[in-house]
Every structure is written in structure tokens, then in C-alpha cells.
């Protein structure tokens, strides 16, 4: 006689308590496997392990596994700025990669509908997402971060001349994709405080926002507008990042400040929000980004700058917000 309780204990230990509902009838063992939060690869591996574990059990000729998962809400982290050209997309890509390296299940959405740059930054140009039941499957980047961008859906260099509602609908398709196994979504917003930002805030309700600025006064004025938008909408502000902060001459090593120094940290203090850190104006960041190799995927000083910011965002997430 087959000891179902022994099989149940064995499978529970093997899957960390994810199996239930074992029944054996006429040699067919049926069970339920909870795959909530697991990636496709992990899910398939666990199913194989379960089948292997019971294939030689007395009285078991075959096994039928019903896989179930709870629908978990994605935590959306919006990365915004009041103006373009401050390196917001570069920060978004490297923040996602750095969080992944810290062990987080993170995805990336390029919400800059009119000027998508994440395919270049993440080395996924030319790739096209698949879809099923009107929902897209994210593209798996080389860096372990699944991602979606309008740049994956249109021809390279093609202008996107859409009015606000169409851009908002496009954003929803990207955010509402099949983000299986992902719990945190980094959303690279376009510059400004327009339709796409409002659609993101009203429909998708970010858990928090990271603001990016250069140290110069003009950028900080616009960053304050972005801060105001999120505050009015009740979106918690994770903190402010100062980008392009200091340039080290590759010849002499002297550090200069083309965009000023310390302005973002001062502004963060005045606005009562955390200062997350500085990213230098470095040739290595520019060349790696153009080559589709996020510096955060490496181990140099430039990677450390992004890692330090990611650690603060991870700590914020860990507080259960």
C-alpha cells in the first residue's frame, strides 16, 4: 500500500512546502504545486524534481501536476526627472542591474514612449517580444533583467507621433505584460510632467519614486517640479540622485565640476528627501552604455557608484513600503 503521507512529507521538503492536495487513484498521483514568484526556469526545474522524486514510489504509475500561482502586485519604482539629458535612463538601467545583483527579482520598463533608449543601454536592440492572449512576454536581457520598451516594437529610428491617450495605452501594455517571477519593476519615465507621467501615477500607482538631476541650478529647478508632481499624487519619494557629478581628467587625474558640485544634495535637504548618492561624469560610463553593457554589471568603481544607490533603494523596499 502506498504511503501518501511519506510522499507528501518528501515533496514538501523538496519544494519548501509548495505541494498539496496529493491523491492516488488507479496508479495516477495528482498534486498541486504552488509556483508563485518563481521564474519559468525555476518552475520547470521544480516540476522535474517532483516527477523524479515520485516516479519509483510503490503504486505510482504516472503523476499529474496542477501548477497554481497567486497574482502578486508589482511594486513599481518610477525613475523621473523634470528635464531631459540628466542621465535618467542610464540610472534606470544600472539601478535595475544592480538590484538584480543584490538578489532582487526586478524588471525594467522603458516608459519614454517617444524617445526609447533602454534597448541600446541594455544591449537588446533588434529583439522583439512575443505575445499571448494580448499580453507581451518581456525580453530577457543578457544581464538577467527582463525588460520591455517601445524601442522593441518599432523600427530603429522610427518617429512615434502619438497623442497622449495613445502613449498612455502603450505604457499600460508595457507595464501589464507577463512579468512572471518579478516583484519589482523599475520604470524609466520620460522627462517632464506630462501625460505619460500622469498615466503612470493614476493607473499604476508607483510604490515610490527616484528623482535624477545634475548639480546645476537649471536641472534642479526642473527636478523640483518632478518632486512636486509625485508629492501631489501621494507617491513616496525614495530619494534624489546627483548625476554627472565631477569629471576626472584621464590624463592628469584632476577632478573638475562642469555642472557644479553638491547642488542635488543641498536641494534634497531643502526638499526634505533623502540624498541617494552621486554618479560621476565618466567616460567609462558613456562608452559602456553606448555598447549596451551597463557599468553596474561589472565590478569597477563606476559599478560601485550604482551599487551604493541600489543598496539604499533595496533598504527602502525592505522596510515594507
Amino acid at each position: 500500500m502506498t504511503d501518501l503521507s511519506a510522499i507528501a512529507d518528501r515533496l514538501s521538503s523538496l519544494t519548501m512546502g509548495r505541494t498539496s492536495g496529493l491523491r492516488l487513484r488507479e496508479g495516477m498521483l495528482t498534486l498541486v504545486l504552488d509556483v508563485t514568484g518563481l521564474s519559468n526556469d525555476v518552475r520547470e526545474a521544480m516540476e522535474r524534481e517532483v516527477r523524479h522524486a515520485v516516479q519509483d514510489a510503490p503504486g505510482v504509475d504516472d503523476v499529474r501536476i496542477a501548477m497554481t500561482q497567486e497574482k502578486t502586485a508589482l511594486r513599481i519604482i518610477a525613475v523621473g526627472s523634470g528635464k531631459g539629458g540628466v542621465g535618467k535612463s542610464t540610472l534606470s538601467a544600472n539601478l535595475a542591474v544592480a538590484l538584480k545583483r543584490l538578489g532582487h527579482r526586478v524588471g525594467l520598463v522603458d516608459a519614454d514612449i517617444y524617445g526609447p533608449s533602454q534597448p541600446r543601454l541594455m544591449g537588446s536592440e533588434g529583439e522583439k517580444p512575443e505575445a499571448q492572449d494580448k499580453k507581451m512576454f518581456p525580453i530577457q536581457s543578457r544581464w538577467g533583467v527582463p525588460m520591455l520598451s517601445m524601442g522593441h516594437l518599432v523600427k530603429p529610428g522610427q518617429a512615434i507621433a502619438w497623442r497622449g491617450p495613445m502613449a498612455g495605452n502603450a505604457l499600460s501594455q508595457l507595464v501589464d505584460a507577463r512579468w512572471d517571477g518579478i516583484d519589482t519593476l523599475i520604470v524609466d519615465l520620460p522627462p517632464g510632467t506630462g501625460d505619460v507621467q500622469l498615466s503612470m501615477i493614476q493607473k499604476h500607482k508607483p510604490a515610490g519614486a527616484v528623482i535624477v538631476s545634475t548639480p546645476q541650478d537649471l536641472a534642479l529647478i526642473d527636478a523640483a517640479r518632478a518632486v512636486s508632481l509625485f508629492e501631489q499624487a501621494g507617491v513616496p519619494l525614495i530619494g534624489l540622485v546627483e548625476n554627472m557629478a565631477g569629471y576626472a581628467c584621464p590624463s592628469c587625474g584632476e577632478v573638475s565640476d562642469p555642472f557644479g558640485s553638491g547642488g542635488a544634495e543641498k536641494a534634497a535637504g531643502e526638499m526634505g528627501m533623502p540624498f541617494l548618492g552621486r554618479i560621476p561624469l565618466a567616460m567609462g560610463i558613456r562608452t559602456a552604455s553606448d555598447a549596451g553593457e551597463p557599468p553596474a554589471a561589472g565590478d569597477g568603481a563606476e559599478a560601485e557608484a550604482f551599487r551604493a544607490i541600489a543598496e539604499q533603494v533595496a533598504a527602502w523596499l525592505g522596510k515594507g513600503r
Side-chain angles (χ1 to χ4, degrees):
M1 181 175 178
T2 303
D3 187 351
L4 277 183
S5 62
I7 295 177
D9 290 343
R10 183 179 180 186
L11 292 181
S12 180
S13 176
L14 179 67
T15 64
M16 294 179 288
R18 289 178 175 266
T19 52
S20 62
L22 271 70
R23 294 182 61 187
L24 181 63
R25 179 175 296 174
E26 298 179 353
M28 174 65 73
L29 177 68
T30 61
L31 60 96
V32 176
L33 177 62
D34 178 14
V35 295
T36 301
L38 302 181
S39 67
N40 288 334
D41 290 344
V42 174
R43 179 187 309 174
E44 291 171 2
M46 186 172 289
E47 181 185 7
R48 288 194 300 269
E49 290 175 359
V50 168
R51 291 185 182 279
H52 180 73
V54 300
Q55 65 183 4
D56 296 327
V60 176
D61 300 321
D62 199 0
V63 60
R64 181 177 298 160
I65 302 173
M67 288 187 282
T68 63
Q69 62 178 340
E70 296 179 7
K71 186 175 180 181
T72 56
L74 285 172
R75 294 179 299 186
I76 294 175
I77 302 301
V79 180
S81 65
K83 66 187 275 74
V86 299
K88 170 185 51 57
S89 294
T90 300
L91 177 74
S92 298
N94 284 278
L95 176 60
V97 172
L99 284 170
K100 169 66 178 179
R101 296 188 70 184
L102 290 173
H104 291 265
R105 303 195 306 271
V106 61
L108 175 65
V109 163
D110 186 352
D112 196 342
I113 304 299
Y114 304 108
S117 55
Q118 291 298 345
R120 168 63 62 88
L121 291 167
M122 295 289 284
S124 61
E125 287 181 301
E127 299 189 40
K128 301 292 183 183
E130 296 181 358
Q132 183 180 5
D133 298 328
K134 297 183 179 180
K135 281 200 171 189
M136 288 185 288
F137 289 89
I139 287 170
Q140 298 297 323
S141 73
R142 290 182 290 155
W143 319 109
V145 176
M147 61 178 296
L148 281 173
S149 166
M150 279 302 299
H152 294 130
L153 304 175
V154 300
K155 296 178 181 178
Q158 178 181 340
I160 302 173
W162 291 348
R163 296 187 184 276
M166 292 183 67
N169 289 336
L171 172 63
S172 291
Q173 289 185 352
L174 299 177
V175 174
D176 293 335
R178 295 286 299 272
W179 297 102
D180 297 340
I182 298 303
D183 59 22
T184 302
L185 199 58
I186 304 299
V187 178
D188 174 19
L189 290 174
T193 54
D195 288 332
V196 174
Q197 289 86 345
L198 291 174
S199 294
M200 167 57 65
I201 290 171
Q202 293 172 356
K203 185 172 183 179
H204 303 290
K205 297 178 173 50
V210 173
I211 307 300
V212 186
S213 179
T214 59
Q216 67 186 114
D217 291 342
L218 184 61
L220 290 165
I221 291 171
D222 291 326
R225 294 190 179 100
V227 168
S228 177
L229 174 68
F230 287 115
E231 286 181 333
Q232 290 177 44
V235 176
L237 293 162
I238 301 173
L240 181 64
V241 174
E242 184 174 275
N243 197 23
M244 306 182 194
Y247 172 73
C249 175
S251 299
C252 67
E254 182 179 351
V255 177
S256 58
D257 298 295
F259 296 104
S261 176
E265 183 173 9
K266 180 181 177 183
E270 292 173 349
M271 290 185 284
M273 61 187 298
F275 178 67
L276 299 179
R278 295 181 174 86
I279 304 297
L281 181 63
M283 185 68 73
I285 293 177
R286 197 274 298 170
T287 55
S289 297
D290 284 349
E293 298 181 356
D299 297 310
E302 291 149 3
E304 182 56 35
F306 291 111
R307 179 184 176 87
I309 291 170
E311 286 176 342
Q312 294 195 65
V313 174
W316 187 91
L317 290 169
K319 292 178 182 178
R321 291 182 170 90

